[in-house]
Amino acid sequence: MTALTAELVVDGRAPRTPALAPDGRLLSYVLATTSRTGDHLDTELWLVDLVGGGSRRVTAGTATESLPRWSCDSGTLFFLSDHAERGVPQVHRFALADGTVTALTSWRAGILDHLPLAGSGLVALLAEDEPTEQDARRARDRDDAVVAGEREPRARLRLLDPRTGRITTPAVFGDRHVVELRQRPDGGPLAVLTRAGADNDHGPRTGRLHLFDPATGTTEELGPVEVDARSPAWWSAPDGWHLGYVALTPPGLQAGTAVFDLALSDRVTRNRTADLPMCPTELCQTGAAALVVFADGLNTTLARLDPAGLTTLSRHPGRLDELTATSGGEQIAVLAGGRYEPVDVHLGPSAGPLRKVTDTRPEWNGITFGTQQPLAYRAADGLELDGLLVLPVGQTAPDGPFPLVTIVHGGPYDRYADRCQLFWFPSAQWLAAAGYAVFLPNPRGGQGHGHRFAASVAGQVGRQEWTDILTGIDLLVAQGVADPDRLGIAGWSHGGFMSAWAVGQTERFRAALVGAGVVDWGMLAATGENGQFEAALGGSTGWSGIGPHPHDAVSPISFAGRIRTPVLILHGAEDTNVPLGQAVYLHRALRHFGVEHEFVIYPREGHSIRERNHQLDVLRRTRAWFDRWLRP
């Protein structure tokens, strides 16, 4: 048996962005380290021969390679690499015929995304404007005052001719920020999603859909789209071409996602997934009907979007992510894992079953994991809920009661799926290896149970989702699994909010961990990068008038005077999602009230912790904190 160490968690590699060739003969994917030691992540591009067998590494792993994209004839693989200048990705071409890799661009601002086009041989690019001589002078002279609304970066549509290296920028879409592109399967026009700007607070509410013909340079406006639109896909139906996308269900910003279907014949948009008890996460274009991935409770459903409705193709345990398909949609590849297996690339027919074609974490093969089992229970108001229970390694439920740590997921529009729960952040298997039982609840507000389930917490965070969690803890205590005198709670992001909220509502917990957590919703709406979304959760903003405001009643900081539980606060110094000020506010309040706590700031880190030594610190500090307070 291999002992689980912090190094085994953070020193591995994981696959990303699988890309099936349209003819189904080859598969490409990116292999990335799960942590980094410097400023940039080193990744490798891999190629799998699905006919003859075998795989080979295409790049050396000394740069950040990303976003493999196949040409329509399956003969060329395009990808991004910052090999020439770290942090500035350029388009590269890997030619299957001779195995050569060629850099195709040297755009000084770097390339954000790319899409090989059928018919013309061109590659569509998304890239910001190159810096001008005036920009260089201003930077050199430090005459670089930032004025809101002036010279804000915009991703623009550009066209690359791989034969000459020439890049042109069509004069289209005005000053709008281009988000995503998808070409019609027959080689026709591009569907283009744009926003008013790149600002995450405002941009997602300003989306529009356009058509662009690369042959003529002409455009056609299709009008506004629902909030946070993404994942566009084309398909043909008896009434002509349709364009679909995934977006939030109106009218609120805290909502379940839906697939919206725009018929180009009459310009009518329909919600194709309304009232379903599951949530679409991806829309995948094929040459036939589009494929839809659904978060379905603890598991995943794959369906086909037929003209008459949805046809379920297969159901899979856990999660399926980053779906890619052959041109006809018969074969798919995804990222998937198991209860005790890490994520790998899986391949198979869309109707299943899928087989694993990579083995990226062989060092995990000797690890004994804690038994993981699904939980199903009802909330206080009768709502059906689910979650996961992970028992201490080598233990069964009758061996309890155990010290129990409840880890709340982020989002809140996220979920726990029935997959391996071992990550750099507070995770079940890491604590199970130290003798803890771990409860992973899926309270209302999350993904996987439809729109109404997700929207129910808008303006009411910390209310019923909190009682949903408590009901699950009470169930585990009643079953003899959890020791009521040794309860802990933890979470990151929205999970950090729930942890901070919990200790202001009850003294049942002997220890808490607040990772990148929200403590004041008004301050987050004012300073976080997703301000309007946070205002939808908190229920108001500071400029709503003279307080108290609705968000005050659901902000943990309002209850700081009640906290008696020891709290570990972890936060990235450069977090723009939940800015560091949230953690400073909690730290100052706990210091004021004399509450035992530790406050840890990770330099250079954002909302997620990326550097190796910092990830190791999170893991070790998490265990040490709960050992200090929950051990006899």
Side-chain angles (χ1 to χ4, degrees), residues 287-316:
L291 303 178
V292 189
V293 179
F294 286 96
D296 187 0
L298 296 168
N299 301 305
T300 299
T301 292
L302 180 64
R304 185 176 63 236
L305 193 63
D306 292 321
L310 286 165
T311 301
T312 298
L313 299 175
S314 51
R315 291 185 169 90
H316 306 267

Tab-separated table of all heavy atoms in Angstrom, residues 287-316:
chain	number	residue	atom	x	y	z
A	287	GLY	N	-21.495	17.164	-37.188
A	287	GLY	CA	-22.071	17.387	-38.503
A	287	GLY	C	-23.548	17.050	-38.550
A	287	GLY	O	-24.225	17.360	-39.530
A	288	ALA	N	-24.042	16.420	-37.493
A	288	ALA	CA	-25.461	16.070	-37.410
A	288	ALA	C	-26.082	16.861	-36.261
A	288	ALA	O	-25.901	18.054	-36.146
A	288	ALA	CB	-25.602	14.561	-37.216
A	289	ALA	N	-26.805	16.170	-35.385
A	289	ALA	CA	-27.419	16.848	-34.251
A	289	ALA	C	-26.379	17.169	-33.187
A	289	ALA	O	-25.389	16.448	-33.018
A	289	ALA	CB	-28.524	15.974	-33.664
A	290	ALA	N	-26.608	18.246	-32.443
A	290	ALA	CA	-25.689	18.631	-31.384
A	290	ALA	C	-25.825	17.681	-30.198
A	290	ALA	O	-26.897	17.111	-29.943
A	290	ALA	CB	-25.969	20.064	-30.939
A	291	LEU	N	-24.729	17.497	-29.469
A	291	LEU	CA	-24.714	16.689	-28.260
A	291	LEU	C	-24.729	17.613	-27.046
A	291	LEU	O	-24.094	18.671	-27.055
A	291	LEU	CB	-23.481	15.794	-28.227
A	291	LEU	CG	-23.291	14.838	-29.406
A	291	LEU	CD1	-21.990	14.050	-29.251
A	291	LEU	CD2	-24.474	13.892	-29.538
A	292	VAL	N	-25.442	17.193	-25.996
A	292	VAL	CA	-25.568	17.995	-24.789
A	292	VAL	C	-25.115	17.166	-23.592
A	292	VAL	O	-25.564	16.028	-23.407
A	292	VAL	CB	-27.017	18.463	-24.549
A	292	VAL	CG1	-27.062	19.471	-23.403
A	292	VAL	CG2	-27.618	19.061	-25.806
A	293	VAL	N	-24.224	17.735	-22.772
A	293	VAL	CA	-23.799	17.121	-21.522
A	293	VAL	C	-24.633	17.732	-20.401
A	293	VAL	O	-24.741	18.957	-20.298
A	293	VAL	CB	-22.302	17.361	-21.255
A	293	VAL	CG1	-21.886	16.738	-19.935
A	293	VAL	CG2	-21.461	16.799	-22.395
A	294	PHE	N	-25.217	16.877	-19.563
A	294	PHE	CA	-26.038	17.340	-18.450
A	294	PHE	C	-25.430	16.915	-17.118
A	294	PHE	O	-25.098	15.737	-16.928
A	294	PHE	CB	-27.449	16.742	-18.514
A	294	PHE	CG	-28.330	17.340	-19.566
A	294	PHE	CD1	-28.460	16.740	-20.814
A	294	PHE	CD2	-29.058	18.496	-19.308
A	294	PHE	CE1	-29.278	17.278	-21.780
A	294	PHE	CE2	-29.884	19.047	-20.269
A	294	PHE	CZ	-29.997	18.435	-21.509
A	295	ALA	N	-25.312	17.861	-16.196
A	295	ALA	CA	-25.074	17.520	-14.794
A	295	ALA	C	-26.383	16.975	-14.255
A	295	ALA	O	-27.399	17.674	-14.233
A	295	ALA	CB	-24.637	18.751	-14.014
A	296	ASP	N	-26.349	15.719	-13.821
A	296	ASP	CA	-27.577	15.014	-13.435
A	296	ASP	C	-27.371	14.433	-12.041
A	296	ASP	O	-26.913	13.296	-11.885
A	296	ASP	CB	-27.861	13.914	-14.462
A	296	ASP	CG	-29.201	13.241	-14.259
A	296	ASP	OD1	-29.921	13.620	-13.320
A	296	ASP	OD2	-29.535	12.332	-15.049
A	297	GLY	N	-27.672	15.235	-11.015
A	297	GLY	CA	-27.417	14.788	-9.653
A	297	GLY	C	-25.933	14.585	-9.435
A	297	GLY	O	-25.104	15.446	-9.741
A	298	LEU	N	-25.577	13.409	-8.941
A	298	LEU	CA	-24.173	13.069	-8.706
A	298	LEU	C	-23.486	12.565	-9.960
A	298	LEU	O	-22.276	12.332	-9.955
A	298	LEU	CB	-24.077	11.998	-7.619
A	298	LEU	CG	-24.569	12.388	-6.223
A	298	LEU	CD1	-24.690	11.152	-5.340
A	298	LEU	CD2	-23.630	13.403	-5.591
A	299	ASN	N	-24.242	12.420	-11.048
A	299	ASN	CA	-23.726	11.774	-12.252
A	299	ASN	C	-23.946	12.651	-13.476
A	299	ASN	O	-24.265	13.828	-13.364
A	299	ASN	CB	-24.380	10.400	-12.396
A	299	ASN	CG	-24.111	9.514	-11.182
A	299	ASN	OD1	-22.966	9.299	-10.809
A	299	ASN	ND2	-25.170	9.039	-10.531
A	300	THR	N	-23.774	12.075	-14.663
A	300	THR	CA	-23.836	12.842	-15.905
A	300	THR	C	-24.649	12.092	-16.944
A	300	THR	O	-24.526	10.869	-17.081
A	300	THR	CB	-22.422	13.118	-16.452
A	300	THR	OG1	-21.692	13.887	-15.492
A	300	THR	CG2	-22.468	13.876	-17.755
A	301	THR	N	-25.463	12.837	-17.688
A	301	THR	CA	-26.242	12.287	-18.795
A	301	THR	C	-25.783	12.946	-20.090
A	301	THR	O	-25.583	14.164	-20.133
A	301	THR	CB	-27.748	12.528	-18.580
A	301	THR	OG1	-28.197	11.736	-17.479
A	301	THR	CG2	-28.555	12.157	-19.812
A	302	LEU	N	-25.621	12.138	-21.134
A	302	LEU	CA	-25.300	12.643	-22.467
A	302	LEU	C	-26.524	12.454	-23.354
A	302	LEU	O	-27.100	11.360	-23.407
A	302	LEU	CB	-24.100	11.895	-23.055
A	302	LEU	CG	-23.652	12.331	-24.455
A	302	LEU	CD1	-23.168	13.773	-24.447
A	302	LEU	CD2	-22.557	11.403	-24.989
A	303	ALA	N	-26.935	13.520	-24.032
A	303	ALA	CA	-28.136	13.466	-24.861
A	303	ALA	C	-27.855	14.090	-26.224
A	303	ALA	O	-26.880	14.828	-26.415
A	303	ALA	CB	-29.290	14.189	-24.169
A	304	ARG	N	-28.738	13.775	-27.163
A	304	ARG	CA	-28.686	14.365	-28.509
A	304	ARG	C	-29.863	15.319	-28.658
A	304	ARG	O	-30.994	15.004	-28.270
A	304	ARG	CB	-28.750	13.269	-29.566
A	304	ARG	CG	-28.571	13.769	-30.996
A	304	ARG	CD	-28.545	12.632	-31.995
A	304	ARG	NE	-29.824	11.923	-31.995
A	304	ARG	CZ	-29.956	10.613	-31.771
A	304	ARG	NH1	-28.891	9.872	-31.494
A	304	ARG	NH2	-31.149	10.042	-31.801
A	305	LEU	N	-29.595	16.481	-29.229
A	305	LEU	CA	-30.627	17.498	-29.400
A	305	LEU	C	-31.281	17.304	-30.765
A	305	LEU	O	-30.844	17.856	-31.772
A	305	LEU	CB	-30.010	18.887	-29.278
A	305	LEU	CG	-30.964	20.060	-29.117
A	305	LEU	CD1	-31.757	19.945	-27.822
A	305	LEU	CD2	-30.187	21.373	-29.127
A	306	ASP	N	-32.334	16.502	-30.799
A	306	ASP	CA	-33.070	16.236	-32.035
A	306	ASP	C	-34.137	17.301	-32.260
A	306	ASP	O	-34.556	17.983	-31.307
A	306	ASP	CB	-33.720	14.854	-31.967
A	306	ASP	CG	-32.690	13.730	-31.991
A	306	ASP	OD1	-31.706	13.861	-32.744
A	306	ASP	OD2	-32.857	12.743	-31.256
A	307	PRO	N	-34.624	17.459	-33.496
A	307	PRO	CA	-35.643	18.484	-33.749
A	307	PRO	C	-36.879	18.348	-32.870
A	307	PRO	O	-37.458	19.345	-32.447
A	307	PRO	CB	-35.987	18.272	-35.231
A	307	PRO	CG	-34.743	17.697	-35.825
A	307	PRO	CD	-34.158	16.827	-34.754
A	308	ALA	N	-37.268	17.116	-32.554
A	308	ALA	CA	-38.480	16.914	-31.769
A	308	ALA	C	-38.233	16.954	-30.264
A	308	ALA	O	-39.180	16.999	-29.484
A	308	ALA	CB	-39.130	15.583	-32.152
A	309	GLY	N	-36.994	16.900	-29.844
A	309	GLY	CA	-36.703	16.909	-28.413
A	309	GLY	C	-35.351	16.312	-28.119
A	309	GLY	O	-34.533	16.085	-29.023
A	310	LEU	N	-35.106	16.029	-26.856
A	310	LEU	CA	-33.849	15.438	-26.425
A	310	LEU	C	-33.930	13.929	-26.439
A	310	LEU	O	-34.923	13.346	-25.981
A	310	LEU	CB	-33.508	15.902	-25.014
A	310	LEU	CG	-33.018	17.339	-24.850
A	310	LEU	CD1	-33.076	17.752	-23.398
A	310	LEU	CD2	-31.598	17.478	-25.388
A	311	THR	N	-32.900	13.288	-26.954
A	311	THR	CA	-32.798	11.832	-26.933
A	311	THR	C	-31.618	11.450	-26.042
A	311	THR	O	-30.468	11.787	-26.346
A	311	THR	CB	-32.575	11.267	-28.350
A	311	THR	OG1	-33.659	11.663	-29.189
A	311	THR	CG2	-32.473	9.751	-28.308
A	312	THR	N	-31.902	10.773	-24.936
A	312	THR	CA	-30.825	10.345	-24.047
A	312	THR	C	-30.003	9.260	-24.723
A	312	THR	O	-30.529	8.261	-25.219
A	312	THR	CB	-31.400	9.822	-22.722
A	312	THR	OG1	-32.098	10.881	-22.072
A	312	THR	CG2	-30.294	9.313	-21.815
A	313	LEU	N	-28.685	9.456	-24.751
A	313	LEU	CA	-27.775	8.499	-25.376
A	313	LEU	C	-27.107	7.590	-24.351
A	313	LEU	O	-26.958	6.394	-24.585
A	313	LEU	CB	-26.712	9.241	-26.173
A	313	LEU	CG	-27.205	10.122	-27.323
A	313	LEU	CD1	-26.045	10.891	-27.932
A	313	LEU	CD2	-27.908	9.281	-28.378
A	314	SER	N	-26.677	8.155	-23.214
A	314	SER	CA	-25.954	7.352	-22.233
A	314	SER	C	-25.922	8.094	-20.908
A	314	SER	O	-26.084	9.317	-20.850
A	314	SER	CB	-24.521	7.062	-22.707
A	314	SER	OG	-23.850	8.247	-23.100
A	315	ARG	N	-25.700	7.325	-19.847
A	315	ARG	CA	-25.539	7.893	-18.511
A	315	ARG	C	-24.223	7.393	-17.940
A	315	ARG	O	-23.838	6.249	-18.144
A	315	ARG	CB	-26.708	7.507	-17.607
A	315	ARG	CG	-28.022	8.178	-18.001
A	315	ARG	CD	-29.131	7.868	-17.000
A	315	ARG	NE	-30.313	8.685	-17.214
A	315	ARG	CZ	-31.317	8.348	-18.009
A	315	ARG	NH1	-31.286	7.197	-18.665
A	315	ARG	NH2	-32.352	9.166	-18.149
A	316	HIS	N	-23.545	8.260	-17.208
A	316	HIS	CA	-22.206	7.963	-16.742
A	316	HIS	C	-22.057	8.376	-15.284
A	316	HIS	O	-22.560	9.424	-14.872
A	316	HIS	CB	-21.173	8.712	-17.587
A	316	HIS	CG	-21.301	8.466	-19.053
A	316	HIS	ND1	-20.599	7.484	-19.704
A	316	HIS	CD2	-22.084	9.064	-19.994
A	316	HIS	CE1	-20.925	7.481	-20.989
A	316	HIS	NE2	-21.821	8.435	-21.190
